[in-house]
Amino acid sequence: MSADFAARGLARQTSQKLSSTASGEGAALVGYRSTASGAIGRTALDKLGEWVTPADFGPVGTADDTAAFTAALQSGKPVYVPPLTPSGGSKPQVPYMVSQLVIPNGAVMVGQYGATYIRQTAGANRDLVVLAGPTVSNFKIDGLMLDGNAATNTSGNGVNIIGPTASVAAYNHQGSTDPYFTISNLLIFNCAGDGLRMAGAAADGTAMLAGGSVIENIRTFNTKNRGAYFDLYDAYISNIDCGVTGKQGIVFDQQCGALFVRGAKGWYTGQITATQGEGVIAGGGQSTFKQIFVQANVPGHGLRLKGFYESSIDFVVQGAGNVTGFGATPAYLYVDVGSTNFKARGVCSQTAGAPASTVNLIDFAAGTHANYDIDISHGGTYAALLAGDTQFPVGGGGSIQSIVLNGRQQLGRALTPIYPAAQNPASGWVEYCDANMGNALVMRSSAGLTIPVTPINYTIATLPAAAAALKGMRAFVTNGVAAPALGATPSTTGTAYCPVYCDGAAWRYG
């Protein structure tokens, strides 16, 4: 009997130690060894301690889980945030409630995409997730649904990364001054500010160093400011989807550089501020943009190139009935000042219900645009195919420019004046192709006079009004008489194809 009592006592003692959370007990007494070839023995404590969860630091699923999340992030361990609701079934996800998550340098926070749901508490009025520089690096944020609770918050971004600038060295384990980080698989919505913001300062306009970091698979919607704002240098960005915004969909600011962007979509943008509803703004230099898509931005330009230089972009702009409102006439492609040395390839389409003749296809802001190559396939009716700065076809001091619309060259190189300056009767005559005159080769002067160089087909009724400035101009009419008298005024209509010329006062057969 005594041996039996002793065995029972030992079993109780062992059970108590295994269930204990004291140091050296509990999981520290349980062995673990992976089934992988070559694995060594460890304790369950070692294995379980590789990651932490907010629940390791206090109750979660409460009215405010901020303290548990903060402790987990400060632990120095990678943080896994499991869903509060099982991922299977049709029940809505239960959110964690936090006021703000401050991510330390080097932290990892990972959830289950589409299931791990974090919502901001009412009245927080701050960024939901923030990494405050200047030396942030080596962090990873992945697989989270982030709800800014804009119904009860009047300010704050979904995710705000305030990173290192060129004058600040960021720490990383490789000894380089570049930061390395990954932001991926995030669903960000209901934000009073931007969905995602990445820059080198709290205020816009300062670029952060990104050190070849990766930003991918980010979706934002219902953000009262912009969907995503980027002001950074040296990064790989892919699959950014931003819709239903107060202002622009996606902004790459003018200080951006050395970016590789593949897959960026701005849709149903500009719901609040009528003058700032561009679908996508591409700015900065020495970057490559591929698969840029803009749909139904309300209102504003579809794609805006803002200080876009030494870069290339390919895009689709689809106006689903509501590309309206930006100034007097918005454009599917708006080329802002300082955009030089770039290539743009794209498709612009108006779908059923799109505004006819109220939107420009391409619009150039007044200023310098040099050394560019634009090639667009388009469908629909536009206020103008080419609008804005009237000097763009010949400006830039002999720079190379090309615009091709539906496979037809609209303008090419700028030529020097055909008259010496002192003898030019109406100064500044140059040669280019005019999209608004049937792609005809014309001579245009700085005084605004235009003379076609190659004959154009007209009907007699549509011939330009005879004037001294058109003296010598030749054209063809498609409804002339069968045997016109040389020099006769083409006032009788017929069905013959006949040459005509302007003598400065009237049009005549000949």
Side-chain angles (χ1 to χ4, degrees):
M1 291 292 293
S2 59
D4 183 53
F5 280 121
R8 290 181 182 181
L10 180 60
R12 282 195 299 270
Q13 183 180 24
T14 301
S15 176
Q16 289 171 352
K17 286 189 175 185
L18 287 174
S19 63
S20 172
T21 58
S23 176
E25 297 183 350
L29 299 176
V30 178
Y32 169 80
R33 181 166 159 175
S34 170
T35 58
S37 176
I40 63 173
R42 305 167 64 193
T43 67
L45 179 65
D46 290 337
K47 181 64 178 178
L48 294 173
E50 291 175 348
W51 289 73
V52 298
T53 73
D56 292 331
F57 299 90
V60 293
T62 67
D64 191 340
D65 301 326
T66 305
F69 271 82
T70 300
L73 289 166
Q74 294 289 342
S75 69
K77 297 279 190 177
V79 179
Y80 171 62
V81 187
L84 286 176
T85 306
S87 58
S90 59
K91 292 183 179 180
Q93 297 299 315
V94 175
Y96 294 92
M97 299 299 297
V98 302
S99 58
Q100 184 178 61
L101 300 181
V102 180
I103 312 298
N105 190 26
V108 173
M109 183 168 65
V110 176
Q112 182 178 328
Y113 183 69
T116 299
Y117 181 12
I118 301 174
R119 192 180 194 201
Q120 195 163 39
T121 55
N125 293 322
R126 61 186 73 180
D127 299 328
L128 176 53
V129 176
V130 63
L131 286 88
T135 59
V136 293
S137 183
N138 305 320
F139 63 86
K140 179 177 182 178
I141 305 173
D142 179 87
L144 304 173
M145 294 192 299
L146 301 171
D147 180 353
N149 197 5
T152 63
N153 288 295
T154 58
S155 63
N157 304 303
V159 177
N160 189 7
I161 312 298
I162 306 173
T165 63
S167 60
V168 177
Y171 168 80
N172 65 62
H173 297 296
Q174 290 75 34
S176 168
T177 57
D178 280 337
Y180 300 136
F181 56 82
T182 300
I183 300 176
S184 56
N185 301 315
L186 300 181
L187 180 59
I188 308 171
F189 55 100
N190 296 340
C191 298
D194 298 334
L196 171 64
R197 182 186 179 279
M198 304 187 68
D204 293 355
T206 303
M208 68 175 287
L209 295 176
S213 296
V214 175
I215 302 105
E216 63 182 356
N217 299 333
I218 311 293
R219 188 184 186 200
T220 76
F221 67 91
N222 197 25
T223 55
K224 291 188 176 180
N225 201 45
R226 302 163 297 201
Y229 173 82
F230 297 101
D231 200 344
L232 71 170
Y233 187 88
D234 189 12
Y236 294 87
I237 302 173
S238 63
N239 299 334
I240 309 298
D241 184 316
C242 301
V244 191
T245 65
K247 295 183 181 179
Q248 299 93 348
I250 306 172
V251 177
F252 297 92
D253 214 337
Q254 288 178 268
Q255 290 75 29
C256 286
L259 302 182
F260 185 88
V261 180
R262 180 183 291 276
K265 178 183 177 183
W267 53 280
Y268 284 94
T269 62
Q271 301 288 319
I272 297 173
T273 306
T275 59
Q276 297 181 337
E278 294 95 338
V280 174
I281 294 179
Q286 301 170 343
S287 299
T288 298
F289 292 78
K290 293 183 176 295
Q291 299 173 353
I292 308 303
F293 182 71
V294 179
Q295 181 184 38
N297 51 306
V298 188
H301 305 307
L303 171 63
R304 182 176 185 178
L305 304 183
K306 186 176 182 181
F308 190 70
Y309 67 95
E310 297 175 11
S311 300
S312 65
I313 186 167
D314 67 71
F315 61 90
V316 173
V317 179
Q318 182 185 46
N322 41 19
V323 184
T324 60
F326 189 93
T329 308
Y332 275 51
L333 174 64
Y334 186 80
V335 184
D336 221 324
V337 294
S339 296
T340 61
N341 303 326
F342 68 87
K343 288 186 177 182
R345 297 286 184 273
V347 175
C348 297
S349 65
Q350 291 179 345
T351 57
S357 302
T358 60
V359 182
N360 294 326
L361 181 64
I362 305 175
D363 197 347
F364 288 79
T368 301
H369 316 93
N371 298 336
Y372 56 79
D373 183 358
I374 298 174
D375 189 339
I376 293 177
S377 297
H378 66 88
T381 304
Y382 301 89
L385 296 179
L386 303 175
D389 179 13
T390 58
Q391 295 303 307
F392 73 83
V394 296
S399 58
I400 303 302
Q401 293 140 139
S402 173
I403 296 180
V404 176
L405 303 180
N406 284 348
R408 300 176 68 184
Q409 184 78 34
Q410 301 301 321
L411 63 96
R413 57 192 176 88
L415 304 179
T416 56
I418 61 173
Y419 293 101
Q423 301 176 31
N424 194 335
S427 64
W429 288 96
V430 292
E431 179 186 51
Y432 74 100
C433 296
D434 192 329
N436 296 317
M437 296 183 68
N439 200 41
L441 184 66
V442 303
M443 303 301 299
R444 176 166 289 179
S445 78
S446 59
L449 299 175
T450 300
I451 298 178
V453 175
T454 56
I456 308 174
N457 293 336
Y458 294 94
T459 63
I460 294 173
T462 59
L463 283 167
L470 300 183
K471 187 175 182 178
M473 175 181 171
R474 299 190 63 83
F476 287 92
V477 293
T478 58
N479 58 344
V481 296
L486 183 62
T489 301
S491 58
T492 302
T493 60
T495 58
Y497 189 68
C498 303
V500 294
Y501 68 93
C502 179
D503 66 3
W507 287 94
R508 302 188 181 279
Y509 284 120

